[in-house]
Amino acid sequence: MGMKAKVALGAVVGIVVIGAVSANAGSDGKDGGSGGGDKGSSASAEHESGAAKDSGGAQKSDAKPEEKKAAFGGDGEYQVGTDVKPGTYRTTGNDDGMCYWERAKDASGELDSLLANDNVSGTSYVTIKPADKLFKSSGCQDWEAVDPKAKGTPASSMDGDGGMFKVGTDIAPGTYRSTGNADDSCYWERTKDAGHGLDSIIANNNVTGTAVVTISPSDAYFKTNDCGTWKKA
């Protein structure tokens, strides 16, 4: 279980789950951690440095937003509750296909200890639950905590190989179209949370040619891999 770029258990990532085979291992319920996600948000807060006066004597502030701070690194095994707190986390910029993570119910390393796992291209959100015992990450960019109260500006298009997008924050709900998918490696998935269990999936599909999907305002995330650019109709 120590190799990078492992295949998510059950099948190659992107195999249709509804009525077929899972793209992820394990079965989980709704997010049980500290909340949902949004693009560009993290647990870090803004701070103000000391104020100075301008040439006219008026008070001015040189406050600058603090840079995002990683909650934990992209390589390692972390005990939940000790090394990492339960909650929702995000990793971005994984463009080499080597990022792999897993949630586990113990540290035995055995197959039945897995709760969920995934290979990541682009961005991934994952909710680590209080009942989880171990979180493993290999070949990923650093993980940052997601602030559930942070706002975003939803986009009307997205990279077809961008990974996971938070609905209402990263992308706007609506009907999207992706063209130029030469084979059925194009995979999309609508989910109700970031638990990555079978019961997280609302709908999914493998697509050849043109793909059309309606993302509902009640969806939590939209996942896309190896697809052409999605544009809102």
Side-chain angles (χ1 to χ4, degrees):
M1 302 298 289
M3 293 177 63
K4 294 182 179 180
K6 299 176 193 174
V7 174
L9 293 182
V12 175
V13 172
I15 297 299
V16 178
V17 175
I18 304 303
V21 183
S22 171
N24 299 290
S27 178
D28 285 303
K30 296 182 180 179
D31 290 8
S34 59
D38 64 90
K39 192 168 185 175
S41 66
S42 69
S44 59
E46 292 186 354
H47 73 285
E48 286 193 359
S49 54
K53 291 185 179 181
D54 61 21
S55 57
Q59 196 85 358
K60 67 178 183 178
S61 173
D62 59 352
K64 295 180 180 180
E66 187 176 327
E67 292 184 2
K68 299 174 190 175
K69 292 182 179 179
F72 54 94
D75 286 293
E77 299 184 352
Y78 306 95
Q79 289 183 290
V80 178
T82 302
D83 302 322
V84 59
K85 296 179 180 179
T88 299
Y89 296 87
R90 185 181 74 147
T91 178
T92 62
N94 300 287
D95 56 5
D96 59 5
M98 298 296 287
C99 173
Y100 170 83
W101 64 260
E102 66 181 54
R103 295 170 46 225
K105 63 183 180 182
D106 57 46
S108 69
E110 297 177 5
L111 189 62
D112 61 0
S113 71
L114 244 72
L115 296 169
N117 67 343
D118 202 7
N119 294 112
V120 177
S121 176
T123 295
S124 183
Y125 291 85
V126 61
T127 297
I128 300 172
K129 301 187 179 184
D132 295 357
K133 299 301 181 184
L134 198 69
F135 183 80
K136 300 181 182 181
S137 179
S138 177
C140 303
Q141 297 295 318
D142 289 347
W143 293 84
E144 60 182 25
V146 172
D147 181 355
K149 297 181 180 179
K151 303 291 184 180
T153 303
S156 58
S157 65
M158 58 186 144
D159 181 355
D161 198 35
M164 288 180 73
F165 297 86
K166 176 69 174 173
V167 178
T169 304
D170 299 337
I171 55 166
T175 298
Y176 288 79
R177 178 184 175 94
S178 170
T179 60
N181 301 297
D183 54 46
D184 63 0
S185 63
C186 170
Y187 173 78
W188 63 259
E189 179 179 300
R190 296 168 49 219
T191 72
K192 63 183 181 182
D193 57 42
H196 295 266
L198 282 178
D199 57 0
S200 298
I201 298 173
I202 299 170
N204 65 349
N205 203 10
N206 291 104
V207 180
T208 301
T210 299
V212 179
V213 61
T214 297
I215 301 171
S216 170
S218 62
D219 294 353
Y221 299 91
F222 182 75
K223 183 177 180 180
T224 173
N225 291 115
D226 294 324
C227 300
T229 301
W230 293 90
K231 295 181 180 180
K232 193 174 180 182

